Amino acid sequence: MATSTPPLNPLSSPKSKSNNPNESNPSPLSLLRKCSSLKEIKQIQAITIKSNLQHDISVITKLINFCTLNPSTTMDHAQHLFDQIPQPDIVLFNTMARGYALTNTPIRAMTLFSRILNLGLLPDDYTFPSLLKACANSKALKEGKQVHNLVIKLGLHLNIYVQPTLINMYTECRDISAARKVFDKISSPCVVTYNAMITGYSRCSQPNEALALFRELQGSNLNPTDVTMLSVLSSCALLGALDLGKWIHEYIKKNGFDEYLKVNTALIDMYAKCGSLEDAVCVFENMRFKDTQAWSAMIVAYAIHGHGYKAVAMFEDMRRVRVRPDEITFLGVLYACSHTGMVVEGCEYFQSMSVRYGIVPGIKHFGCMVDLLARAGRLDEAYKFIEELPLMPTPILWRTLLSACSSHGNVEMGKQVMERIFELDDSHGGDYVILSNMCARAGRWEDVNYIRKLMKDKGVVKVPGCSSVEVNNVVHEFFSGDGTHSESRELHKVLDQLVKELKLIGYVPDTSLVFHADMREEEKEATLRYHSEKLAIAFGLINTPPGTTIRVVKNLRVCGDCHSAAKFISTISNRQIILRDIQRFHHFKDGKCSCGDYW
DNA sequence: ATAGGGTTAG
C-alpha cells in the first residue's frame, strides 16, 4: 500500500515501511529525513496519518523539530501540531521552546514554561537554554531572573549548556555585572562560557574588559575559537585601535582562523572602523567565497569612509555576481547615499528594496531616508516622511532631522522638531546642545538662556566630548578643557601657538558654537581651543615623527570648529589626520576633508 | 527525539 503513494523524496524508502509494521521497535522516525520547508513537512505529515502515527508523540516531536529548522515560516504549523497533542511530555515542550526562542517570540516560550510547571512536569537541562535565549532575545530581565532562580533550585547551574545562556541572557539584558557574577562562580569555565562573557562585554561597549578576558583565556589551558575572534575583533573595532587590530590579525593567521568566512567579515569591519580602508579591501579581495555579510561589511566600509559612489558600485557588483542583498546591505547602501548626497539614487534603492527583493523596510531604513532628505536640505519632505510612517517614530528619527535643521540653520523647524522629541524623550542632553547652538548662531540669546535653564531644571547633563589617539600602542584619552593628562600644560601651549599659525592661513574660530552665552569672546575662543579633538590631534602631532598619519576617535559627532581647524592643521603640518566620530570617518589631507563638508 | 557562545546595521 505504501508503494502506491506518489513519489515522495523526503521518504527514505517506502519499502522499509511495509517490512515490519507491527514489530516492537519499527522506529517510524527512521522514515523521516531532514526537511524544513512547510511543503515537505506537510508531505511527511500526510504519511504519518496514513500510517496512523499522527498521535505518536515522538513522531510529532520530530516533525516539530523540523519546523524549528526554518522557524520563521513554519512555527505556526508547529503550534498547530502541538495543540493536537493532549499530553505533551517534556521533550516535546523543549522542542517547542527552542522554536519560540529562535522566532523571537519569548512570551510564547514563557507561557509554555508556565504550562510545564502547572502540569507538574520537571524542566530539565534541555529546557533552560531555550528559555534563557528567549529572554535574551526580548531583553526580558525580570523573566530571565526568575528562570535563573529555578535553574539554581534544580541544581542545573553547573550544566555546561546552561552556563553560557545564563551569561548571554544577562548581557543581552544589559546587566553585565550580573553576568560577571555568574561567570565568577563557575569554577572551571569552558571556552563557550568564556566566549559568552567576552561577547557580552563587547556588545555592552566594554572592549577593554573583553580584551582583558581574552588575555585571561589565552593564559588558560583552553583554546580560543573562531567565535572568540569575532568578539575580539569587534572590541578592536569599538576601540578604533589599529595597531592592536593588526596584532590580532597576525594571531588569527597564525592559528588558522582566517579560514572562517565570518572571521574575515569581522576583519573587514575591524579595519574599516579602525580607519584603514586599504586593509579592509585587502581582506575582502583575498576571500575565496564572499557571502551577503561580507559584501555588506565592505559596502558599509566604503560608506563610512565617505566613498559613497564606490559603495554603490560595490552593491551593483554584488548583484552582478548574484549574491542576494539583505536588509543590512540596504542599510549600508542607503547610508552611503545619504552621506554623499545621492538623493535620487537613495530613493530608488529604497523603492527597489521592497519591490524587487521583498524586504520590508524597518525603522533604521526609515532613519536613513530621513537623513537622506534632511541632509540634502529637503527638511519639509523629511518632516512629512516621519509623520506618515507606518511605524511609531523613535526619538532617533526626529533627532536626525534636528541635526539637519541645525546644519541648514532652520531654527523655526528646529524648535518644532524639538517639541516632537520632547513628547517622546526629554532626557537627551545632545538635543538641547544642538538647539541651543542653533539659536546662538542665529543670535537668539533669550532662547539660548531658556534652553540652558530648561536643562538645569530637568537635571539633563550633556555627555562630555572625549577623543582618543593611539601613540606607540598606548591609547591616550582627552576630554574637553581637560587638564588631567600629564602633558596637558604643554599641550595647551602647543595649541595656543598652533591656533596663532592657523589664523595666519585663514582659520577663523567659530565661537558661535560655544554653549555659554555670557562669556567674553576671548574666553569662548579658549574653550574652543581645548576641545577634545584638538587636544588629541595636538598630542599626536608632538609625539609622532613628522609625516605620520594621526588617527583620532571621538565619542560624539565632530564639532564644526574642530572640523575646520583639522583641515588647516593637515595643511600646516603636512600630515594626514583620520578622525572617526560617532557616525563616520573624516580623512583630512592638504586642507580638505573626505566628507566634502557634507555632514 | 530535545540543548550552549557569533559577524555586518543602530
Side-chain angles (χ1 to χ4, degrees):
Chain A
M1 43 148 200
T3 39
S4 66
T5 51
L8 285 164
N9 45 5
L11 263 180
S12 52
S13 127
K15 240 195 317 179
S16 63
K17 202 167 125 206
S18 49
N19 267 350
N20 39 14
N22 288 323
E23 252 184 46
S24 58
N25 195 10
S27 180
L29 303 179
S30 63
L31 301 176
L32 309 181
R33 217 183 65 195
K34 243 187 197 173
C35 64
S36 60
S37 80
L38 193 54
K39 206 175 138 199
E40 289 172 308
I41 289 168
K42 283 190 173 166
Q43 280 180 343
I44 293 189
Q45 199 183 336
I47 299 185
T48 61
I49 293 170
K50 260 205 176 123
S51 334
N52 207 17
L53 289 168
Q54 71 271 35
H55 301 298
D56 184 319
I57 197 164
S58 56
V59 171
I60 299 300
T61 306
K62 191 82 184 176
L63 273 174
I64 290 180
N65 192 39
F66 288 160
C67 293
T68 64
L69 296 176
N70 190 7
S72 59
T73 54
T74 52
M75 267 318 275
D76 284 338
H77 190 67
Q79 179 81 55
H80 174 73
L81 289 168
F82 180 71
D83 287 342
Q84 290 175 341
I85 299 292
Q87 280 185 315
D89 60 4
I90 190 67
V91 176
L92 184 48
F93 271 114
N94 290 346
T95 312
M96 279 303 284
R98 172 166 183 269
Y100 287 147
L102 293 171
T103 45
N104 220 347
T105 43
I107 296 153
R108 288 180 170 194
M110 291 308 284
T111 313
L112 214 61
F113 187 46
S114 317
R115 267 188 74 189
I116 295 173
L117 298 180
N118 287 340
L119 286 170
L121 287 170
L122 204 60
D124 59 13
D125 46 350
Y126 284 73
T127 318
F128 290 107
S130 298
L131 283 177
L132 290 165
K133 185 83 196 159
C135 295
N137 286 344
S138 62
K139 320 224 176 290
L141 182 58
K142 213 179 105 210
E143 288 78 3
K145 278 184 181 166
Q146 285 169 4
V147 177
H148 186 186
N149 283 333
L150 202 68
V151 165
I152 295 171
K153 220 161 127 188
L154 295 173
L156 291 172
H157 56 287
L158 299 175
N159 181 279
I160 58 158
Y161 291 104
V162 175
Q163 283 170 348
T165 36
L166 263 175
I167 291 169
N168 184 241
M169 181 275 292
Y170 278 121
T171 60
E172 284 298 302
C173 296
R174 301 286 124 127
D175 192 341
I176 194 92
S177 60
R180 184 69 203 217
K181 263 187 208 154
V182 173
F183 183 81
D184 285 338
K185 279 205 192 111
I186 301 170
S187 50
S188 49
C190 68
V191 68
V192 178
T193 303
Y194 263 102
N195 288 347
M197 197 63 226
I198 294 173
T199 304
Y201 277 129
S202 92
R203 297 267 298 166
C204 292
S205 305
Q206 299 189 18
N208 288 318
E209 286 76 5
L211 292 166
L213 202 57
F214 169 60
R215 279 182 210 112
E216 195 184 307
L217 174 62
Q218 280 185 298
S220 75
N221 50 8
L222 296 168
N223 291 321
T225 69
D226 53 327
V227 177
T228 321
M229 300 330 295
L230 295 177
S231 300
V232 168
L233 286 172
S234 173
S235 299
C236 288
L238 281 171
L239 283 174
L242 184 60
D243 292 342
L244 181 63
K246 285 193 167 166
W247 184 85
I248 301 284
H249 192 180
E250 287 307 314
Y251 178 88
I252 283 171
K253 285 193 224 165
K254 214 174 77 193
N255 292 281
F257 293 122
D258 53 348
E259 294 296 315
Y260 293 84
L261 183 62
K262 287 174 180 186
V263 171
N264 282 309
T265 304
L267 275 169
I268 294 171
D269 179 59
M270 180 278 290
Y271 276 128
K273 288 187 177 153
C274 289
S276 178
L277 191 55
E278 312 84 69
D279 285 308
V281 173
C282 184
V283 172
F284 181 76
E285 284 179 350
N286 282 323
M287 286 170 79
R288 275 174 289 137
F289 175 77
K290 301 163 182 116
D291 64 353
T292 302
Q293 284 83 347
W295 282 97
S296 303
M298 201 58 232
I299 288 170
V300 171
Y302 278 120
I304 59 174
H305 281 276
H307 300 273
Y309 290 99
K310 192 85 200 170
V312 169
M314 270 323 262
F315 179 69
E316 295 301 332
D317 286 347
M318 176 182 180
R319 290 217 302 211
R320 219 164 289 134
V321 296
R322 307 213 177 271
V323 176
R324 203 175 171 76
D326 66 2
E327 62 276 11
I328 289 156
T329 320
F330 275 101
L331 276 176
V333 173
L334 294 175
Y335 181 96
C337 292
S338 77
H339 283 256
T340 322
M342 295 187 272
V343 182
V344 178
E345 293 87 341
C347 291
E348 280 171 12
Y349 283 124
F350 183 68
Q351 289 292 325
S352 80
M353 177 168 93
S354 43
V355 177
R356 275 179 79 164
Y357 297 95
I359 299 170
V360 182
I363 194 79
K364 280 159 195 166
H365 299 100
F366 294 129
C368 286
M369 290 308 286
V370 171
D371 195 45
L372 181 79
L373 295 167
R375 225 177 251 270
R378 293 156 75 159
L379 301 173
D380 292 315
E381 279 173 74
Y383 195 98
K384 225 172 125 224
F385 186 87
I386 301 179
E387 283 204 309
E388 288 169 0
L389 281 183
L391 305 167
M392 173 78 176
T394 58
I396 298 168
L397 292 191
W398 290 114
R399 208 161 275 148
T400 305
L401 183 52
L402 183 67
S403 309
C405 289
S406 166
S407 49
H408 289 283
N410 190 332
V411 182
E412 286 318 311
M413 186 177 285
K415 282 182 167 177
Q416 230 174 310
V417 171
M418 194 70 174
E419 275 170 30
R420 309 308 297 270
I421 296 177
F422 277 0
E423 288 164 14
L424 302 165
D425 172 19
D426 63 357
S427 65
H428 197 268
D431 298 334
Y432 295 80
V433 176
I434 294 175
L435 192 65
S436 158
N437 282 346
M438 273 171 83
C439 294
R441 218 171 305 160
R444 296 161 76 148
W445 298 107
E446 66 287 1
D447 285 337
V448 174
N449 284 330
Y450 174 73
I451 296 163
R452 281 184 61 196
K453 188 172 176 304
L454 211 59
M455 266 184 98
K456 218 172 157 187
D457 293 348
K458 295 195 179 176
V460 177
V461 284
K462 57 174 188 170
V463 181
C466 172
S467 301
S468 59
V469 62
E470 195 182 27
V471 173
N472 298 328
N473 290 323
V474 181
V475 177
H476 298 262
E477 278 191 337
F478 300 91
F479 291 88
S480 269
D482 196 357
T484 56
H485 197 276
S486 57
E487 293 184 50
S488 66
R489 190 176 283 256
E490 194 194 341
L491 221 46
H492 285 200
K493 267 195 223 152
V494 171
L495 274 170
D496 294 341
Q497 179 58 34
L498 188 62
V499 167
K500 265 185 208 160
E501 291 171 30
L502 295 182
K503 280 179 173 174
L504 293 177
I505 59 165
Y507 164 69
V508 183
D510 184 359
T511 49
S512 71
L513 290 165
V514 179
F515 197 47
H516 304 284
D518 44 9
M519 269 188 184
R520 282 178 300 125
E521 198 62 19
E522 307 88 84
E523 282 177 304
K524 285 190 191 172
E525 266 197 39
T527 310
L528 214 52
R529 204 180 304 151
Y530 308 133
H531 267 185
S532 67
E533 300 88 311
K534 295 197 187 81
L535 289 170
I537 293 173
F539 187 82
L541 274 177
I542 55 176
N543 288 295
T544 54
T548 317
T549 299
I550 300 173
R551 294 168 190 276
V552 175
V553 178
K554 195 191 171 188
N555 67 337
L556 304 170
R557 262 178 88 166
V558 59
C559 118
D561 182 67
C562 290
H563 191 266
S564 157
K567 287 196 277 187
F568 287 107
I569 296 173
S570 73
T571 305
I572 220 168
S573 63
N574 203 12
R575 298 255 203 159
Q576 206 180 329
I577 300 168
I578 301 181
L579 191 153
R580 179 179 101 175
D581 73 6
I582 196 158
Q583 282 197 324
R584 58 175 298 160
F585 277 91
H586 298 268
H587 292 247
F588 300 96
K589 201 185 169 189
D590 303 328
K592 288 199 196 101
C593 178
S594 62
C595 75
D597 297 337
Y598 191 83
W599 59 287

